[in-house]
């Protein structure tokens, strides 16, 4: 089941940032790839690894002890497309607008690069405004959607070597953006060295990712899966990128993915001074005790309580003969379903709007994934909302379900 190297890695357990020895504070058990939706012919050879979060108290970085190889996760059939949500389309439009107004202002013929540009949901706004841009995206299927939206895209993983190639061919970048991608990359030294080459001396590196403070506060343990090798805090970002030649100068909370943070970094030599917000949020993190191991032990207990509650609720519905389905086959649902051992006996199917997921089965627990029309055709008694971060948009869209007596269940 495990490749030899992975078992070796499990025993090594070093912080990916400072190489300090780390101890996972929890084990979610055997996990498949969060986006590894599969066909019955693939069940027998499904890939699993051990999902074990750890907190390094030396450099304050929350991480998973072992991450599968990037080539396993970001393939030519990667099924996550950012533009499936109206709220995300609006969010990225505003992100692009704010980058253009605040960070590109006064710059002549600026050049903007995005790491992990997915289906082009962010860069298309620069393309529409005729701003020189380049997306870097390793999954060819999502990159093709971006290109169809007029976004110049390179199908590659970002690296120092690629940074050099881009600088030779196109010049230095004014701004490098990234959303829900930096937390996917274990080797941040390579990223930082690449960024040092790619960015102009007065350039900005702006990225956003799910925020540790929100995850701890909400016990949203479903943020922990193979792709999210790190869940960042300001303290962690400052420690990681500080030692790699960058300075954190601003941070802004974002509502996306159930609570995210946007970080603004500049090269160490830059004259840009940190905004007062940075100090404020760092203090708030201290108050929330994000630097203490005890916080993560309490989080573990909260996860266990959450699991018990969810399983009990679903078993009660089954006992009373109610029909239960899952709404949205998210990456996050893979952690919940496998950790709670919830399969097709408790959830009949999961409906999802992504054609690539439909007709397949959920990773690990093998619940059928069906089109959204199957939900509409015959409403269930209960729908477990796995895309709880899109609650507002989905509740609005599915008002009729509640009108006819259907009930929602939030899985956390
Ligand atoms: P998201 O929470 O972004 O997923 P992840 O946990 O993978 O980051 O939700 C995206 C998934 O939810 C995607 O598979 C499409 C599905 N979805 C629906 O099926 N219907 C909807 O109305 C929305 C907003 C998402």
């Amino acid at each position: 089941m495990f490749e030899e190297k992975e078992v070796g890695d499990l025993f090594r357990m070093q912080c990916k940032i400072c190489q300090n020895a780390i101890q996972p504070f929890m084990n979610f058990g055997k996990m498949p790839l969060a986006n590894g939706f599969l066909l019955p012919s693939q069940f027998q050879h499904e890939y699993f690894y051990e999902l074990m979060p750890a907190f390094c108290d030396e450099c304050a970085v929350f991480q998973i002890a072992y991450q599968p190889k990037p080539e396993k996760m970001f393939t030519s059939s990667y099924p996550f497309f950012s533009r499936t949500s109206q709220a995300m389309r609006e969010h990225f439009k505003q992100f692009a607008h704010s980058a253009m107004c605040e960070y590109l202002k006064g710059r002549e013929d600026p050049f903007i690069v995005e790491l992990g540009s997915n289906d082009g949901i962010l860069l298309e706004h620069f393309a529409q405004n005729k701003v020189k841009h380049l997306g870097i995206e390793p999954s060819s299927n999502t990159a093709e959607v971006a290109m169809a939206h007029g976004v110049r895209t390179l199908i590659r993983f970002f690296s120092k070597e690629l940074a050099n190639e881009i600088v030779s061919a196109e010049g230095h970048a004014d701004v490098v953006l990234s959303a829900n991608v930096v937390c996917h990359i274990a080797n941040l030294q390579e990223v930082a060295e690449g960024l040092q080459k790619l960015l102009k001396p007065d350039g900005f590196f702006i990225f956003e990712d799910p925020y540790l403070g929100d995850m701890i506060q909400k016990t949203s343990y479903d943020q922990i899966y193979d792709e999210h090798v790190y869940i960042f805090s300001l303290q962690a970002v400052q420690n990681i990128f500080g030692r790699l030649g960058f300075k954190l100068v601003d941070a802004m909370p974002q509502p996306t993915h159930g609570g995210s943070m946007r970080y603004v970094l500049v090269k160490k030599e830059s004259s840009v001074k940190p905004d007062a917000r940075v100090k404020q949020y760092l203090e708030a993190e201290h108050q929330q005790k994000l630097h203490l191991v005890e916080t993560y032990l309490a989080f573990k207990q909260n996860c266990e309580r959450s699991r018990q509650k969810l399983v009990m609720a679903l078993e009660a519905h089954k006992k009373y003969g109610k029909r239960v389905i899952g709404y949205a086959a998210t990456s996050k649902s893979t952690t919940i379903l496998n950790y709670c051992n919830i399969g097709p006996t408790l959830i009949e199917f999961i409906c999802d709007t992504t054609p690539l997921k439909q007709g397949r089965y959920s990773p690990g627990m093998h619940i059928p994934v069906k089109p959204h029309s199957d939900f509409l055709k015959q409403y269930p008694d209960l729908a477990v909302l796995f895309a709880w971060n899109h609650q507002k948009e989905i509740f609005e869209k599915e008002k009729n379900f509640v009108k006819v007596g259907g009930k929602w269940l939030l899985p956390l």
Side-chain angles (χ1 to χ4, degrees), residues 76-132:
S76 57
S77 54
Y78 185 62
F80 182 83
F81 294 83
S82 300
R83 56 178 77 240
T84 48
S85 147
Q86 170 59 33
M88 291 305 273
R89 290 198 293 276
E90 190 51 42
H91 171 79
F92 282 111
K93 187 175 169 188
Q94 283 176 19
F95 188 3
H97 184 74
S98 123
M100 279 187 257
C101 294
E102 290 170 49
Y103 302 100
L104 295 185
K105 207 168 83 189
R107 291 178 183 245
E108 217 175 292
D109 193 21
F111 176 35
I112 192 141
V113 174
E114 185 184 356
L115 310 186
S117 41
N118 194 260
D119 56 15
I121 191 170
L122 175 59
L123 283 186
E124 70 180 349
H125 300 286
F126 296 91
Q128 284 157 10
N129 282 283
K130 310 257 178 297
V131 176
K132 183 177 166 188

Side-chain angles (χ1 to χ4, degrees), residues 80 257 328-332 352-354 357 389-390 394 397:
F80 182 83
H257 288 287
T330 58
S331 329
K332 296 186 289 292
D352 195 282
T353 51
T354 315
K357 295 182 186 177
N389 44 316
H390 299 296
I394 293 172
K397 201 162 56 180

Side-chain angles (χ1 to χ4, degrees), residues 144-281:
E144 275 155 22
V145 175
M147 290 188 252
H149 283 83
V151 173
R152 287 179 66 225
T153 310
L154 275 183
I155 303 172
R156 298 270 294 270
F157 281 102
F158 183 67
S159 64
K160 266 183 294 186
E161 190 193 332
L162 181 58
N164 278 330
E165 286 175 39
I166 298 172
V167 172
S168 308
E170 318 237 5
H172 290 91
D174 291 83
V175 173
V176 174
L177 298 175
S178 194
N180 309 308
V181 167
V182 178
C183 74
H184 290 183
I185 308 172
N187 187 353
L188 290 178
Q189 176 149 355
E190 176 82 17
V191 172
E193 287 174 16
L195 288 171
Q196 288 289 352
K197 291 177 191 301
L198 180 58
L199 273 175
K200 287 182 180 170
D202 62 350
F204 288 95
F205 171 41
I206 308 169
F207 74 93
E208 56 184 46
D209 271 315
Y211 180 55
L212 183 66
D214 284 298
M215 186 185 84
I216 295 296
Q217 192 225 324
K218 298 175 187 162
T219 314
S220 42
Y221 68 85
D222 56 351
Q223 286 297 351
I224 305 171
Y225 54 89
D226 53 348
E227 294 172 22
H228 292 175
V229 62
Y230 304 114
I231 307 286
F232 295 124
S233 60
L234 260 79
Q235 191 63 67
V237 166
Q238 199 171 54
N239 292 352
I240 296 170
F241 287 95
R243 60 169 71 204
L244 297 170
F246 287 91
K247 184 163 66 172
L248 178 65
V249 292
D250 211 348
M252 306 109 178
Q254 304 295 320
T256 46
H257 288 287
S260 295
M261 188 66 80
R262 183 176 297 162
Y263 306 96
V264 181
L265 295 111
V266 292
K267 290 187 175 180
K268 258 209 171 116
E269 314 73 61
S270 158
S271 59
V272 177
K273 298 255 179 310
D275 189 275
R277 274 190 286 254
V278 173
K279 192 162 169 258
Q280 254 172 43
Y281 292 137

